[in-house]
Amino acid sequence: MVPGEENQLVPKEIENAAEEPRVLCIIQDTTNSKTVNERITVNLPASTPVRKLFEDVANKVGYINGTFDLAWGNGVNTADTAPLDHTSDKSLLDANFEPGKKNFLHLTDKDGEQPQMMLEDSSNVDDSMHDRFIGPLPREGSVASTSDYVSQSYSYSSILNKSETGYVGLVNQAMTCYLNSLLQTLFMTPEFRNALYKWEFEESEEDPVTSIPYQLQRLFVLLQTSKKRAIETTDVTRSFGWDSSEAWQQHDVQELCRVMFDALEQKWKQTEQADLINELYQGKLKDYVRCLECGYEGWRIDTYLDIPLVIRPYGSSQAFASVEEALHAFIQPEILDGPNQYFCERCKKKCDARKGLRFLHFPYLLTLQLKRFDFDYTTMHRIKLNDRMSFPEELDMSTFIDIEDEKSPQTESCTDSGAENEGSCHSDQMSNDFSTDDAVDEGICLESNSGTEKISKPGLEKNSLMYELFSVMVHSGSAAGGHYYACIKSFSDEQWYSFNDQHVSRITQEDIKKTHGGSSGSRGYYSSAFASSTNAYMLIYRLKDPTRNAKFLEVDEYPEHIKNLVQKERELEEQEKRQREIERNTCKIKLFCLHPVKQVMMENKLEVHKDKTLKEAVEMAYKMMDLEEVIPLDCCRLVKYDEFHDYLERSYEGEEDTPMGLLLGGVKSTYMFDLLLETRKPDQVFQSYKPGEVMVKVHVVDLKAETVAAPITVRAYLNQTVTEFKQLISKATHLAAESMRIVLERCYNDLRLLSVPSKTLKAEGFFRSNKVFVESSETLDHQAAFTDSHLWKLLDRHANTIRLFVLLPEQSPGSYSKRTAYQKAGGDSSNVEDDCERVKGPAGNFKSVDAILEESTEKLKSLSLQQQQDGDNGDSSKSTETSDFENIESPLNERGSSTSVDNRELEQHIQTSDPENFQSEERSDSDVNNDRSTSSVDSDILSSSHSSDTLCNADSAQIPLANGLDSHSITSSRRTKANEGKKETWDTAEEDSGTDSEYDESGKSRGEMQYMYFKADPYAADEGSGEGHKWLMVHVDKRITLAAFKQHLEPFVGVLSSHFKVFRVYTSNQEFESVRLNETLSSFSDDTKITIRLGRALKKGEYRVKVCQLLVNEQEPCKFLLDAVFAKGMTVRQSKEELIPQLREQCGLDLSIDRFRLRKKTWKNPGTVFLDYHIYEEDINISSNWEVFLEVLDGVEKMKSMSQLAILSKRWRPSEMKLDPFQELVLESNSVDELREKLSEISGIPLEDIEFAKGRGTFPCDISVLDIHQDLDWNPKVSTLNVWPLYICDDGAVIFYRDKTEEVMELTEEQRNELMKKESSRLQKTGHRVTYSPRKEKALKIYLDGAPNKEVAQD
């Protein structure tokens, strides 16, 4: 039997037992990370007392009874459940245990303290119960491995119990494992901890929040005294000046060690601890060069905090076997010969020489860094070397202190690193950031002078340089990332422990040996790229010297200020514990309330202690919902509520003094129900809601008026029959029960007529919350089949009707009447004008929309008939079309006013005969509402030759349009051919297949007529909607097509549906145009806002394109110009021809066709240059919401072929610290040599001195002049542009270039600061940042003043 599965059955022998039923309890121990996945099973008779359950559990797990709690654990967070009483004599049955089922319990800590182990079992706890642990925690449910570390999730309650080791862990904020490892090592170093405790913080001199030593002191006190399993490090990182983002940056632990030591030295200046770091960690060595001819030796003294040891010699496939081998290699001298000869000052010539390092002084605490991270020049990736390198528990360093190849009395040229630090000690191998006065020499200092050795402390001989290992900082993972943890030996009990973030456990020497590294199989030098393994990265040894080896301070030895700090932290922890106890006994449940005045459902979270009464909870909810000024308190009550089903489950009459814990069923993290603060009017009485009732919302239907009334609520029982239910509704609605029809809506538009009187509501499908429609009239509709009845049609329409708010443009509907007033032909316009005047009259005089639509349709039909008759006489060929708004602005325009109706009716005729011309693609435009246009009339209204299918008259004369453009273009001639009988296919990528088949001859969707419900009423506009704007509240069947919807709106907009556009308004006032005429409004929801904009709608194969100007040398290189319409099959040159007059009128740009180009636009990046002969949709992919750049040329277009490459170059002048403007280069190929030649040609720099780099990020690839010289990848070793790291395959790439012989200007600190401010201001104005970086790690910095925006930092 597996106890962990929910559906596991209780064993048969228990079920079939003759005696009393038994209770199966499955207990999970959550107090220990080792046992959290284990289960303990206890099977007891149902009459067993609860206290006996505790005794049995205590015996099974080995805990002392009374030191742990048991809480219900059926999927509930243990931190939020009330524990069982371990002294209770209640039987398991009475305590709500269920016989025959599994009862899940969690074993948790008691009062925030870990359970105590039984004494008889304490001797073998470590060997039997606690698994030895080293390395990263395996993912739950997976096999442990040494793969990349994945942090195990843990609950807050799991860090409340102190580890059985007695040590406290550190919580990983996100990726701060490297920090945790170093902090635990420093804490376990007696000399460092004791010295830190002796330092006293002066609050009057410094803010405690930014004091690094004080926050370390607090952390160490908590690590020593806290009862928690793990504590946070956020206060320490805050003192570093870090914000939360730093927690997501993983750094090198050795780098952190150096930066933090430097910061501590700065903070400890002029205190007793001023030289603590140097006394403990600093060593000295000599960097020497010896002439092999005369024996002359030049040398200098360098200091170090750690010794970096290479894993493999450069170019070798064989790693060093041990730390001792690597140390010997570290001090092994190299011979300088051949071209590397050394210039000897004594010989006055270049001679062979020996260069090397000698250790002069080893620190008290010796730090060794194993350099496991390398760089693979083949793959250009960082790699980690996982080779085995052993290290001893005791390391004798005496063999490394006296390595001199020969005696030399000629040793001169001594330089001390305190005075001169440049070029010292193999900067690629040594950490020499800390240089101090040589007079401070607490350790062993053997300085070579005249071939003799001086021992600063006579009591110590060479063989006393024995070091013992006490800390191993381990890295698990790859060079791309991983996890740090520390294995540390305690000097108190000589036991090794693994400090892995919040988990601390005992380990053995065997576990330490596993960190030596190594992997199976033979590996090449670079074969370990991206490999993941677990091995030692930093080793810390302590000198074995009884005179200096310290022990940790005892409590009674603490300085007074530390004792006070301990007491303060204990009080804070006790306060936190009390707060947790309150939280543990607090019920947290969703609270809803329908505001009695605003009628808006409000939501909040009610947090009430389990012992508070219902009356007190009502008062809390009353204040929480701010109802004090609205209704009196006695008009409110709390009821059980199901928000999902909108169902009132029950009320709590007579339970005002009952504790909330009992009413809600205990303290839980989540509840399966909510609470509703119900309100009533003072003259009303609260209704009683009983458990088992169902709620029914009843809508009364009036067939004559065709209305559905707002719902009234009744409560019924599921076992009631339909007949009884009718009687219940009859009382509530005063309708006759005999003729009543009840329709249940089970789900969306699923209508069911309750026709069987004896059936129960449960059998009919009633649930907690239900919706019914009732009708009781003496009509013949009763006799019809339900799906053919008037009732069904009305309910079907009701279910599919949505309410939309439509914002009309300023000119509507008056523009419609004004325009018709100037018609000189085309029938009687006065009636139409009258109709429209009535539409725009006061709200009370509005004529019904259906009537307006019907009258307008009849008039349009008569006008269309007359136009057809005129066409038979040849008059239609003379028709012209003018902008609909030209008549508004210029009513005396005789020609335009006389023909507008003719053309409108002709378009109506064309629409019915050739509906394909009015189909359009789906597209979205989030920028339509930008500030580029303040008029509701779009800039493209009839602005191009795409405006009509009837633009050419019989005389082929140029017809003036609204913006002065003529109608002659490639598109008009193409359309003329289409009208001659050659049917065009304007398919786009987004066009639905079968569009034509969905339309009949009238252009309406087949089957659309039954979904034509449309009702519009005036609507009071919100404030701020603008003068002249009018709103409609439209109720429409959402199965209607967009085309039909637009036709219904024609009388209100005042123009034909082909001359206005529909925009759907989303949140944040973002607008998208709806243009698929054959699609329904099914995606629209209730209360959707719609904006109507005047302007010609797109036809099939047309795309609205945003044209932006590219200004490469401007501060803002992208400037919006206008919206244009491009069509499939149009050439780039034709689109440029149509743009020229629009640019002149709308943007004031007077351009000739050969002095500008169009090019691809991707975000703000310029791309492919479009050549004049390219055809849209054939050579250039075009889509909805498309954007192009328009670039004004300085001269003749140089781009003639797609094989050419246009590159933007910018010269960097390091001697002047400035960048030149962009210059375009047109390359005939992707050759780097050609690029160099072109750069040399335009700049005058010799070809061999040209260096270049590709710009990063978004155009114009801005970068600070302080960073450009070293941050870019200059002079990549490639022969073509289309390979890594350039990847230049398209036009528009940015190239920076420079003269490599030009020196960088040397700046004073003042000049640098001034330039930094200017550059920061410049980059902020442009909004550009270098957003791309090939995984460039963020520099680790500790800010001494706690503020990252300050200049003083340790990095």
Side-chain angles (χ1 to χ4, degrees):
M1 170 176 171
V2 180
E5 299 180 8
E6 283 291 323
N7 58 357
Q8 184 68 38
L9 297 175
V10 178
K12 293 286 185 182
E13 59 266 27
I14 296 175
E15 289 183 354
N16 300 331
E19 61 270 9
E20 63 176 302
R22 299 178 71 86
V23 173
L24 179 65
C25 302
I26 298 171
I27 299 103
Q28 178 185 11
D29 186 357
T30 64
T31 65
N32 192 316
S33 62
K34 315 297 183 303
T35 60
V36 71
N37 292 321
E38 297 176 3
R39 302 291 186 273
I40 302 127
T41 305
V42 179
N43 191 10
L44 298 171
S47 60
T48 304
V50 173
R51 58 179 174 78
K52 182 67 170 62
L53 170 65
F54 274 84
E55 292 172 8
D56 287 4
V57 171
N59 290 330
K60 280 214 171 194
V61 298
Y63 293 152
I64 297 176
N65 192 14
T67 65
F68 62 88
D69 280 332
L70 292 177
W72 290 106
N74 292 321
V76 178
N77 188 344
T78 58
D80 294 332
T81 55
L84 300 172
D85 183 4
H86 73 283
T87 63
S88 173
D89 287 325
K90 268 187 179 181
S91 69
L92 297 179
L93 199 60
D94 294 337
N96 296 325
F97 284 78
E98 297 185 49
K101 292 185 179 180
K102 292 187 299 178
N103 298 270
F104 290 93
L105 298 171
H106 280 166
L107 191 153
T108 65
D109 65 296
K110 188 174 184 65
D111 300 327
E113 296 186 7
Q114 190 181 9
Q116 298 175 20
M117 304 296 298
M118 291 185 181
L119 293 176
E120 56 268 28
D121 293 340
S122 61
S123 61
N124 59 2
V125 163
D126 294 335
D127 296 328
S128 61
M129 291 191 63
H130 304 134
D131 298 331
R132 295 193 182 110
F133 171 73
I134 185 169
L137 291 172
R139 189 188 294 271
E140 286 188 15
S142 66
V143 179
S145 67
T146 58
S147 61
D148 285 347
Y149 175 73
V150 179
S151 177
Q152 186 186 43
S153 61
Y154 60 95
S155 64
Y156 181 67
S157 61
S158 70
I159 69 170
L160 300 181
N161 315 317
K162 197 164 185 176
S163 166
E164 62 275 6
T165 62
Y167 290 103
V168 178
L170 294 173
V171 175
N172 191 335
Q173 295 181 38
M175 299 178 71
T176 56
C177 52
Y178 67 99
L179 172 67
N180 293 349
S181 302
L182 181 61
L183 291 176
Q184 292 284 17
T185 297
L186 296 177
F187 173 72
M188 296 294 286
T189 306
E191 292 77 9
F192 186 89
R193 192 203 299 183
N194 295 346
L196 182 65
Y197 280 176
K198 289 176 183 176
W199 176 80
E200 184 173 359
F201 172 68
E202 296 292 341
E203 192 165 354
S204 59
E205 298 179 2
E206 190 178 6
D207 184 358
V209 175
T210 60
S211 174
I212 297 172
Y214 176 67
Q215 293 301 335
L216 281 178
Q217 237 180 32
R218 285 189 62 235
L219 184 77
F220 282 13
V221 164
L222 288 171
L223 285 173
Q224 196 165 353
T225 62
S226 177
K227 295 179 181 178
K228 294 181 181 179
R229 181 179 296 276
I231 58 176
E232 298 280 353
T233 58
T234 48
D235 289 339
V236 174
T237 55
R238 194 177 293 114
S239 71
F240 290 172
W242 294 359
D243 56 23
S244 58
S245 66
E246 288 286 348
W248 295 93
Q249 294 285 336
Q250 188 176 82
H251 294 290
D252 186 286
V253 68
Q254 183 256 357
E255 181 187 11
L256 172 69
C257 184
R258 290 189 292 107
V259 174
M260 193 164 78
F261 281 176
D262 200 2
L264 286 172
E265 279 197 327
Q266 296 292 331
K267 288 286 187 179
W268 275 336
K269 281 182 177 178
Q270 299 178 347
T271 68
E272 290 182 17
Q273 291 74 23
D275 206 40
L276 175 66
I277 301 299
N278 294 337
E279 291 175 6
L280 295 180
Y281 294 94
Q282 182 175 278
K284 292 183 182 178
L285 52 74
K286 177 195 286 186
D287 186 357
Y288 69 90
V289 180
R290 176 177 297 172
C291 177
L292 293 181
E293 292 189 16
C294 68
Y296 171 81
E297 183 178 286
W299 55 273
R300 67 177 175 186
I301 306 298
D302 283 317
T303 58
Y304 63 89
L305 289 179
D306 54 59
I307 303 174
L309 302 177
V310 295
I311 301 296
R312 302 179 195 164
Y314 180 75
S316 172
S317 61
Q318 186 65 39
F320 293 120
S322 65
V323 163
E324 294 93 326
E325 273 192 37
L327 280 167
H328 280 292
F330 184 81
I331 58 175
Q332 180 69 33
E334 61 174 319
I335 301 298
L336 302 178
D337 57 6
N340 295 325
Q341 277 188 327
Y342 164 71
F343 184 84
C344 178
E345 294 182 5
R346 175 163 294 180
C347 301
K348 301 300 180 184
K349 65 174 183 177
K350 285 190 174 184
C351 306
D352 289 350
R354 179 170 292 160
K355 184 181 187 325
L357 302 170
R358 294 196 190 101
F359 288 114
L360 302 179
H361 160 58
F362 287 116
Y364 177 69
L365 296 171
L366 178 66
T367 304
L368 304 178
Q369 180 204 4
L370 308 185
K371 298 181 70 174
R372 292 195 173 274
F373 298 105
D374 206 341
F375 191 79
D376 184 342
Y377 287 95
T378 304
T379 63
M380 304 302 287
H381 286 298
R382 290 177 65 199
I383 59 170
K384 183 183 175 188
L385 304 176
N386 295 309
D387 302 80
R388 177 179 175 79
M389 177 180 277
S390 64
F391 46 86
E393 187 172 5
E394 291 191 349
L395 179 62
D396 184 4
M397 295 298 290
S398 60
T399 57
F400 306 101
I401 201 76
D402 190 19
I403 305 297
E404 287 193 311
D405 41 85
E406 56 184 275
K407 299 291 182 181
S408 173
Q410 320 258 352
T411 304
E412 299 177 7
S413 182
C414 176
T415 304
D416 182 76
S417 64
E420 182 178 345
N421 207 22
E422 61 273 8
S424 64
C425 189
H426 295 270
S427 61
D428 61 323
Q429 289 185 327
M430 293 305 302
S431 302
N432 51 15
D433 298 45
F434 299 85
S435 301
T436 57
D437 190 358
D438 291 330
V440 180
D441 194 7
E442 297 295 329
I444 300 134
C445 182
L446 305 176
E447 296 189 6
S448 177
N449 190 3
S450 302
T452 62
E453 293 177 347
K454 291 184 180 181
I455 303 176
S456 62
K457 291 198 176 181
L460 298 178
E461 302 296 335
K462 284 194 303 178
N463 58 11
S464 68
L465 290 178
M466 187 64 71
Y467 283 80
E468 60 177 326
L469 180 69
F470 79 96
S471 177
V472 180
M473 276 170 264
V474 182
H475 181 267
S476 173
S478 68
H483 174 64
Y484 284 101
Y485 62 94
C487 300
I488 306 173
K489 183 174 75 173
S490 169
F491 290 113
S492 301
D493 57 6
E494 299 297 319
Q495 169 68 44
W496 282 91
Y497 297 92
S498 170
F499 290 84
N500 193 332
D501 288 338
Q502 67 268 21
H503 302 284
V504 185
S505 56
R506 287 183 176 88
I507 56 175
T508 65
Q509 270 295 333
E510 290 302 313
D511 298 318
I512 299 298
K513 289 180 181 178
K514 293 176 185 177
T515 67
H516 289 179
S519 54
S520 59
S522 60
R523 289 180 177 271
Y525 185 72
Y526 292 123
S527 62
S528 58
F530 298 108
S532 175
S533 190
T534 302
N535 34 53
Y537 182 63
M538 274 185 72
L539 310 172
I540 301 184
Y541 287 84
R542 186 175 78 163
L543 181 68
K544 295 185 73 173
D545 180 3
T547 63
R548 296 190 65 186
N549 294 158
K551 292 184 178 180
F552 295 112
L553 291 177
E554 299 295 334
V555 178
D556 55 354
E557 298 174 329
Y558 285 169
E560 194 61 32
H561 64 274
I562 295 297
K563 291 180 180 178
N564 295 335
L565 185 58
V566 170
Q567 183 61 30
K568 179 182 175 182
E569 294 300 332
R570 279 180 178 166
E571 289 174 0
L572 288 174
E573 196 164 291
E574 286 298 320
Q575 183 180 349
E576 184 184 345
K577 182 179 173 181
R578 288 193 294 271
Q579 186 61 36
R580 281 201 314 271
E581 192 63 31
I582 294 173
E583 288 287 323
R584 180 175 293 181
N585 292 296
T586 299
C587 303
K588 300 175 184 178
I589 188 169
K590 272 188 180 181
L591 175 68
F592 294 89
C593 177
L594 182 64
H595 196 281
V597 176
K598 300 177 182 177
Q599 292 298 304
V600 175
M601 184 65 83
M602 301 181 293
E603 180 181 347
N604 214 319
K605 192 168 190 178
L606 179 65
E607 298 185 4
V608 57
H609 194 276
K610 66 177 184 178
D611 295 333
K612 293 278 187 182
T613 63
L614 176 61
K615 185 177 180 181
E616 293 171 311
V618 170
E619 189 172 350
M620 291 173 62
Y622 176 72
K623 293 177 180 177
M624 185 180 292
M625 292 299 184
D626 294 327
L627 299 180
E628 291 98 327
E629 306 294 330
V630 183
I631 54 172
L633 177 61
D634 58 1
C635 290
C636 301
R637 68 169 180 176
L638 285 174
V639 295
K640 193 175 180 180
Y641 177 60
D642 180 353
E643 187 261 343
F644 182 78
H645 296 99
D646 192 19
Y647 169 57
L648 297 170
E649 294 193 19
R650 61 159 297 186
S651 52
Y652 299 106
E653 285 83 5
E655 300 190 65
E656 287 76 10
D657 296 325
T658 305
M660 290 297 293
L662 285 178
L663 285 180
L664 300 179
V667 180
K668 300 177 182 178
S669 59
T670 56
Y671 291 89
M672 300 302 292
F673 57 90
D674 313 300
L675 290 179
L676 175 73
L677 184 65
E678 192 179 20
T679 61
R680 63 174 174 86
K681 294 179 181 178
D683 58 341
Q684 291 179 327
V685 178
F686 279 124
Q687 184 181 350
S688 176
Y689 308 136
K690 298 177 182 178
E693 292 178 334
V694 294
M695 193 165 70
V696 184
K697 291 184 177 179
V698 181
H699 296 261
V700 176
V701 179
D702 188 336
L703 291 182
K704 290 182 179 178
E706 293 193 345
T707 59
V708 178
I712 59 172
T713 302
V714 300
R715 294 178 72 85
Y717 289 97
L718 291 176
N719 58 1
Q720 281 181 325
T721 63
V722 172
T723 302
E724 294 170 336
F725 184 52
K726 286 183 178 180
Q727 297 294 335
L728 181 66
I729 293 178
S730 179
K731 292 180 181 178
T733 60
H734 307 293
L735 296 176
E738 296 76 16
S739 59
M740 184 182 294
R741 284 185 291 176
I742 302 179
V743 178
L744 170 67
E745 185 179 88
R746 292 187 295 185
C747 55
Y748 168 71
N749 211 24
D750 180 11
L751 303 174
R752 179 187 181 92
L753 180 67
L754 307 186
S755 57
V756 183
S758 59
K759 246 188 177 182
T760 63
L761 300 187
K762 184 176 182 180
E764 290 285 9
F766 277 66
F767 190 55
R768 289 183 172 185
S769 184
N770 309 275
K771 181 178 180 181
V772 300
F773 300 91
V774 298
E775 186 273 333
S776 181
S777 62
E778 302 291 341
T779 63
L780 297 177
D781 196 53
H782 285 252
Q783 301 173 7
F786 177 57
T787 53
D788 296 329
S789 65
H790 187 195
L791 176 62
W792 184 87
K793 291 176 182 176
L794 183 60
L795 294 180
D796 177 71
R797 190 186 78 184
H798 173 77
N800 288 285
T801 298
I802 54 175
R803 182 175 64 181
L804 305 176
F805 294 99
V806 180
L807 176 63
L808 300 174
E810 293 180 15
Q811 290 85 349
S812 65
S815 58
Y816 189 73
S817 57
K818 287 180 182 179
R819 193 165 53 254
T820 55
Y822 299 104
Q823 296 171 353
K824 293 186 177 181
D828 184 9
S829 64
S830 60
N831 292 333
V832 179
E833 178 179 353
D834 293 341
D835 289 340
C836 295
E837 291 296 337
R838 282 195 291 272
V839 170
K840 69 173 183 175
N845 299 330
F846 259 74
K847 195 170 182 180
S848 76
V849 177
D850 292 325
I852 292 174
L853 183 63
E854 186 177 350
E855 292 176 14
S856 300
T857 303
E858 292 300 323
K859 288 178 172 54
L860 287 172
K861 285 180 180 178
S862 63
L863 291 173
S864 178
L865 181 61
Q866 180 179 345
Q867 184 63 37
Q868 291 179 35
Q869 293 171 353
D870 293 341
D872 294 337
N873 299 327
D875 295 335
S876 64
S877 61
K878 298 180 182 179
S879 65
T880 60
E881 182 177 16
T882 346
S883 166
D884 291 329
F885 308 105
E886 191 171 354
N887 294 314
I888 301 170
E889 317 239 1
S890 306
L892 299 179
N893 188 332
E894 203 69 21
R895 180 180 181 184
S897 62
S898 65
T899 56
S900 60
V901 168
D902 295 341
N903 288 296
R904 189 163 66 251
E905 294 311 314
L906 182 57
E907 287 195 25
Q908 180 76 9
H909 171 64
I910 294 172
Q911 179 181 5
T912 56
S913 62
D914 187 10
E916 181 179 338
N917 287 328
F918 287 85
Q919 306 307 312
S920 55
E921 40 159 335
E922 177 70 48
R923 75 176 181 87
S924 62
D925 187 353
S926 61
D927 296 327
V928 170
N929 207 22
N930 285 354
D931 57 2
R932 64 176 184 266
S933 174
T934 56
S935 170
S936 62
V937 184
D938 282 7
S939 60
D940 56 78
I941 298 174
L942 303 173
S943 61
S944 73
S945 57
H946 302 289
S947 302
S948 171
D949 283 27
T950 56
L951 291 177
C952 297
N953 60 12
D955 301 324
S956 299
Q958 294 188 356
I959 303 169
L961 301 182
N963 58 359
L965 302 184
D966 63 67
S967 63
H968 282 260
S969 73
I970 185 69
T971 29
S972 62
S973 61
R974 188 186 304 122
R975 289 200 184 103
T976 304
K977 292 179 182 179
N979 292 332
E980 288 173 358
K982 293 184 180 180
K983 187 174 181 180
E984 275 189 284
T985 56
W986 292 75
D987 298 321
T988 66
E990 300 182 15
E991 189 71 36
D992 282 341
S993 60
T995 300
D996 296 337
S997 64
E998 293 178 8
Y999 280 75
D1000 59 18
E1001 291 181 355
S1002 66
K1004 295 180 181 178
S1005 174
R1006 296 193 182 108
E1008 186 180 300
M1009 297 306 295
Q1010 60 177 326
Y1011 304 137
M1012 291 298 287
Y1013 179 73
F1014 180 99
K1015 183 173 183 294
D1017 295 303
Y1019 175 68
D1022 296 332
E1023 290 184 11
S1025 62
E1027 293 294 330
H1029 286 285
K1030 295 184 180 180
W1031 287 86
L1032 290 179
M1033 183 169 63
V1034 176
H1035 290 84
V1036 62
D1037 194 315
K1038 62 184 178 181
R1039 293 168 292 187
I1040 197 173
T1041 63
L1042 179 63
F1045 179 65
K1046 291 181 70 176
Q1047 288 174 6
H1048 279 298
L1049 287 175
E1050 282 181 355
F1052 303 98
V1053 181
V1055 296
L1056 292 175
S1057 60
S1058 59
H1059 288 82
F1060 67 84
K1061 296 173 286 185
V1062 175
F1063 289 87
R1064 184 173 176 179
V1065 183
Y1066 290 84
T1067 54
S1068 305
N1069 290 324
Q1070 194 176 22
E1071 294 185 357
F1072 289 85
E1073 186 178 356
S1074 300
V1075 289
R1076 281 186 181 264
L1077 297 178
N1078 60 324
E1079 285 194 353
T1080 66
L1081 305 184
S1082 57
S1083 63
F1084 288 64
S1085 57
D1086 264 332
D1087 298 338
T1088 295
K1089 289 185 178 180
I1090 289 175
T1091 300
I1092 303 298
R1093 294 186 185 280
L1094 299 176
R1096 186 181 60 77
L1098 293 177
K1099 297 180 175 62
K1100 290 178 63 177
E1102 294 182 341
Y1103 302 87
R1104 204 174 309 280
V1105 178
K1106 286 184 174 59
V1107 181
C1108 301
Q1109 186 175 2
L1110 177 63
L1111 304 162
V1112 293
N1113 287 309
E1114 296 293 327
Q1115 189 173 0
E1116 178 50 60
C1118 177
K1119 176 186 176 184
F1120 175 80
L1121 293 177
L1122 51 81
D1123 277 331
V1125 176
F1126 290 0
K1128 175 184 175 182
M1130 178 187 288
T1131 65
V1132 172
R1133 186 173 183 86
Q1134 289 168 355
S1135 64
K1136 287 167 66 177
E1137 288 172 350
E1138 295 200 3
L1139 281 175
I1140 288 174
Q1142 298 179 53
L1143 291 169
R1144 186 185 307 116
E1145 293 193 5
Q1146 298 181 37
C1147 308
L1149 290 176
D1150 193 2
L1151 301 172
S1152 64
I1153 195 165
D1154 294 323
R1155 293 301 298 272
F1156 73 96
R1157 64 161 66 132
L1158 299 180
R1159 65 191 302 168
K1160 182 179 179 181
K1161 180 178 183 289
T1162 307
W1163 179 227
K1164 294 185 178 181
N1165 298 307
T1168 308
V1169 174
F1170 299 145
L1171 305 181
D1172 283 354
Y1173 57 82
H1174 283 162
I1175 299 174
Y1176 297 116
E1177 283 289 21
E1178 291 184 16
D1179 304 310
I1180 303 170
N1181 289 328
I1182 187 170
S1183 61
S1184 60
N1185 204 25
W1186 204 52
E1187 296 182 340
V1188 295
F1189 268 130
L1190 181 148
E1191 185 178 10
V1192 179
L1193 300 175
D1194 295 330
V1196 180
E1197 174 65 82
K1198 297 177 183 178
M1199 292 289 291
K1200 304 294 183 183
S1201 165
M1202 287 300 292
S1203 62
Q1204 293 175 310
L1205 198 61
I1207 287 177
L1208 292 165
S1209 66
K1210 181 176 278 197
R1211 181 172 178 177
W1212 159 237
R1213 299 182 182 270
S1215 61
E1216 303 175 41
M1217 297 294 284
K1218 74 172 188 178
L1219 288 160
D1220 287 354
F1222 276 113
Q1223 286 182 279
E1224 186 179 72
L1225 300 177
V1226 176
L1227 306 181
E1228 300 301 324
S1229 67
N1230 61 0
S1231 167
V1232 170
D1233 290 339
E1234 185 185 357
L1235 172 63
R1236 289 178 181 277
E1237 290 171 4
K1238 292 280 188 181
L1239 291 174
S1240 177
E1241 183 182 322
I1242 64 171
S1243 65
I1245 302 172
L1247 188 62
E1248 62 273 10
D1249 294 334
I1250 289 282
E1251 287 188 335
F1252 70 92
K1254 183 184 177 183
R1256 296 172 180 164
T1258 306
F1259 184 83
C1261 307
D1262 268 338
I1263 185 171
S1264 170
V1265 296
L1266 295 171
D1267 301 329
I1268 186 172
H1269 203 72
Q1270 64 273 7
D1271 276 13
L1272 293 184
D1273 297 326
W1274 290 98
N1275 220 27
K1277 307 297 182 185
V1278 292
S1279 59
T1280 58
L1281 300 176
N1282 59 352
V1283 297
W1284 188 91
L1286 296 177
Y1287 287 128
I1288 298 177
C1289 306
D1290 196 4
D1291 303 324
V1294 172
I1295 289 292
F1296 294 99
Y1297 68 98
R1298 68 185 180 190
D1299 185 345
K1300 71 177 182 182
T1301 63
E1302 190 175 344
E1303 297 292 332
V1304 181
M1305 178 194 292
E1306 293 201 12
L1307 301 172
T1308 64
E1309 193 63 30
E1310 185 178 344
Q1311 288 175 322
R1312 179 173 291 277
N1313 291 338
E1314 185 66 26
L1315 190 56
M1316 189 183 298
K1317 290 177 183 176
K1318 286 182 180 178
E1319 286 296 283
S1320 176
S1321 174
R1322 179 178 70 87
L1323 294 175
Q1324 281 180 356
K1325 286 178 182 177
T1326 60
H1328 289 284
R1329 290 290 183 273
V1330 179
T1331 56
Y1332 167 78
S1333 176
R1335 203 186 175 279
K1336 187 172 181 181
E1337 292 182 358
K1338 187 176 178 180
L1340 189 150
K1341 294 185 179 181
I1342 291 179
Y1343 304 89
L1344 297 182
D1345 55 1
N1349 57 341
K1350 304 292 183 183
E1351 295 175 7
V1352 182
Q1354 297 303 314
D1355 56 356

